[in-house]
Amino acid sequence: MVRVPSAVPDIPNTMHLMRRLPRVPTRRRSARRAPAAGLAPRPRPWARALGLVAVVLLGAWLGLLVVGNVRVPVGPVDTTMTLRPSLTGGTKINVSPLGALQFDSHSAPVRLDVNVDQLDPARSQALVDHPERLSGLQEEVTRDVAHGALDLAARSCVAVVTGATALGLAVYRRPRRALAAGGLALTLLAASGGSAYATWNPESVLEPRFSGLLSSAPSLVGNARSIVTEFDVYQKELARLVTNVTKLYDATSTLPAYAPDPTTIRVLHVSDIHLNPASWKIIASLVEQYDVDVIVDSGDTMDHGTAAENGFLDPIEDLGAPYVWVRGNHDSPTTQRYLDGLRNVHVLDDGRAETVAGLRFAGIGDPQFTPDRSKRPGAEASQELAGARLASALRDQRAAGRPVDVAVAHEPAAARQVDGEVPLVLAGHIHHAETEVMKYGTRLRVEGSTGGSGLRAVEGRYPDPIQASVLYFDRDTRRLQAWDAIELGGLGQATAEVSRHLAEENQPGATPSPSGSSPAPATSAP
């Protein structure tokens, strides 16, 4: 019987042979799939980093707002200390309801806010009952502030890290990403603290900016003499500030009067009134509040210089201080003659010098009369020529043994020509305040518009501020010690700011300038 091979394979043997055959490599499908239609691609690394920074900054700010403050008793006053994000840094002391003091104490993206909340009756009464405790008030205040600062630093760290971590967890829903946000927040806070420490300027209290009630500013910041001689240690001044605030809160009916320093000559510098009748009331108030000895007007008191405007000048006789005046380009010879006939007015022109209130002034009127604000050919050359004439007169005065202490001109272009001939020259015309020490040592102080640019204030979108300055002179050396720059809100505004500035030679650690009227060389502006 013939055996016929079966067509059905031997399944076990076949499977065995298949397992022994080499495998042919197959092409795997790419794990990366094309994005489905309508879905956005995953964000790029830089976008994720920016998002994380935004979350950190927002969370840190929210944390500071919620828990980043401490209540600290500082001597007899209860205060609240807070760290706030800021582009400029510095320290702000809010003294409600009087206003605020600001110091450029450091440059960092955080600002220290100190709110003076209230006067503690028990601690205040203890000082009244035991006056001997005042001698230790400085140490007590320094100790209180140090403890408050440490407490604030610790609480701010917790607030910043907690806020950033919590917001990171809410946004990313991943603990690792949330912890990264908290760590980055702590790093940024440490960097801000390091920047503040590196740029800390304890002498910033020498030049405070006060905003709020204008009448209380002199009482709060003190007088020029005390600033020069006593503002040497920050801790002492902090104690002094607390003491003054205590007195202010204790005076319930009236604010304490400003006690003038008898060794200081006060000069009120005004300019560019431009026929604004409100200026006279402001000037009279400043004369009374600051106990001003003499007023200097660097021109443009009028707007068109017509005889019809002369009646506007009559209140000058009742301002309470002598009035030194030079002609501006909006003041006509008619204006000058009328002022020359008023009581207590000293008109300076052609380099003529007069001694008023212990200081010797010399000035020259503007060589041009342009009430229409036109620009005439040769205007710059005429200003330089007028300045040269004033400089020549100053040299003649010095040669005669009667050196001039303050020169006055209307335009800065003319004032610059007396560099090296006088310690200080005053000007106006440009409607905003500027100060610089010129190449040969003369300080140029340009005043803004004390009339808020007068009638033209309604021409622009924003009103010009009303500006004036109180200059403090040593009675013996007749040198400028300091000045208070005063700025009031313009038409329709109700703001006030007073900022204290010191001449470089009067700041702690500076080399004293030689006495007399000849200026010492200087190469930098304040």
Side-chain angles (χ1 to χ4, degrees), residues 51-221:
L52 179 61
V53 171
V55 168
V56 168
L57 294 178
L58 180 59
W61 179 66
L62 292 175
L64 286 176
L65 285 180
V66 175
V67 295
N69 61 75
V70 295
R71 291 185 62 85
V72 182
V74 179
V77 176
D78 291 330
T79 69
T80 301
M81 294 185 179
T82 312
L83 286 181
R84 288 284 181 257
S86 172
L87 296 177
T88 57
T91 299
K92 183 178 182 181
I93 302 177
N94 297 303
V95 189
S96 178
L98 301 176
L101 280 168
Q102 298 183 47
F103 307 101
D104 296 327
S105 56
H106 61 276
S107 297
V110 289
R111 185 187 72 200
L112 174 62
D113 283 0
V114 181
N115 293 316
V116 179
D117 299 326
Q118 63 181 0
L119 186 67
D120 185 84
R123 297 198 300 271
S124 301
Q125 188 62 40
L127 288 176
V128 174
D129 296 339
H130 304 280
E132 67 276 4
R133 294 187 181 180
L134 288 173
S135 60
L137 183 60
Q138 295 180 359
E139 290 76 11
E140 179 184 351
V141 168
T142 302
R143 185 170 59 253
D144 292 343
V145 172
H147 290 166
L150 290 176
D151 191 6
L152 178 62
R155 183 169 298 197
S156 298
C157 288
V158 174
V160 165
V161 173
T162 303
T165 303
L167 187 60
L169 188 60
V171 172
Y172 297 111
R173 302 181 184 276
R174 295 180 182 178
R176 181 177 298 180
R177 189 68 65 88
L179 291 176
L184 180 57
L186 184 60
T187 302
L188 292 177
L189 182 62
S192 299
S195 176
Y197 179 80
T199 59
W200 178 249
N201 178 24
E203 296 176 359
S204 61
V205 73
L206 296 173
E207 299 186 359
R209 296 187 302 276
F210 178 85
S211 58
L213 296 178
L214 177 61
S215 60
S216 66
S219 301
L220 198 59
V221 301

Side-chain angles (χ1 to χ4, degrees), residues 94-401:
N94 297 303
V95 189
S96 178
L98 301 176
L101 280 168
Q102 298 183 47
F103 307 101
D104 296 327
S105 56
H106 61 276
S107 297
V110 289
R111 185 187 72 200
L112 174 62
D113 283 0
V114 181
N115 293 316
V116 179
D117 299 326
Q118 63 181 0
L119 186 67
D120 185 84
R123 297 198 300 271
S124 301
Q125 188 62 40
L127 288 176
V128 174
D129 296 339
H130 304 280
E132 67 276 4
R133 294 187 181 180
L134 288 173
S135 60
L137 183 60
Q138 295 180 359
E139 290 76 11
E140 179 184 351
V141 168
T142 302
R143 185 170 59 253
D144 292 343
V145 172
H147 290 166
L150 290 176
D151 191 6
L152 178 62
R155 183 169 298 197
S156 298
C157 288
V158 174
V160 165
V161 173
T162 303
T165 303
L167 187 60
L169 188 60
V171 172
Y172 297 111
R173 302 181 184 276
R174 295 180 182 178
R176 181 177 298 180
R177 189 68 65 88
L179 291 176
L184 180 57
L186 184 60
T187 302
L188 292 177
L189 182 62
S192 299
S195 176
Y197 179 80
T199 59
W200 178 249
N201 178 24
E203 296 176 359
S204 61
V205 73
L206 296 173
E207 299 186 359
R209 296 187 302 276
F210 178 85
S211 58
L213 296 178
L214 177 61
S215 60
S216 66
S219 301
L220 198 59
V221 301
N223 56 57
R225 171 70 69 173
S226 64
I227 279 187
V228 173
T229 59
E230 299 174 20
F231 273 41
D232 53 350
V233 179
Y234 185 79
Q235 291 87 343
K236 293 181 181 179
E237 287 316 304
L238 190 55
R240 184 186 180 101
L241 176 64
V242 171
T243 303
N244 284 343
V245 171
T246 301
K247 294 178 180 178
L248 288 172
Y249 270 88
D250 195 40
T252 56
S253 58
T254 58
L255 291 173
Y258 177 47
D261 184 347
T263 64
T264 300
I265 302 174
R266 292 165 179 78
V267 176
L268 175 61
H269 183 200
V270 301
S271 188
D272 296 87
I273 294 175
H274 283 289
L275 218 63
N276 186 347
S279 300
W280 301 131
K281 293 183 178 180
I282 295 172
I283 293 173
S285 176
L286 292 174
V287 168
E288 180 180 2
Q289 182 62 36
Y290 284 84
D291 196 22
V292 167
D293 297 293
V294 57
I295 306 166
V296 175
D297 186 342
S298 49
D300 272 4
T301 313
M302 310 297 259
D303 216 19
H304 299 89
T306 63
E309 297 173 280
N310 286 343
F312 170 75
L313 304 170
D314 291 343
I316 291 178
E317 293 184 323
D318 302 318
L319 291 177
Y323 201 88
V324 176
W325 183 85
V326 297
R327 186 180 65 251
N329 61 294
H330 282 257
D331 305 316
S332 66
T334 301
T335 303
Q336 180 164 318
R337 285 191 297 269
Y338 188 84
L339 273 168
D340 208 12
L342 292 181
R343 174 176 49 87
N344 221 17
V345 175
H346 304 265
V347 175
L348 303 180
D349 199 3
D350 297 323
R352 185 169 69 251
E354 290 192 34
T355 300
V356 184
L359 293 175
R360 191 154 180 81
F361 298 90
I364 193 166
D366 196 294
Q368 296 204 20
F369 177 52
T370 55
D372 56 354
R373 304 181 223 172
S374 61
K375 184 73 174 180
R376 296 182 179 178
E380 188 73 18
S382 68
Q383 294 296 335
E384 294 177 357
L385 180 60
R389 290 169 55 197
L390 179 57
S392 177
L394 294 175
R395 287 190 292 269
D396 292 341
Q397 289 286 327
R398 186 168 61 245

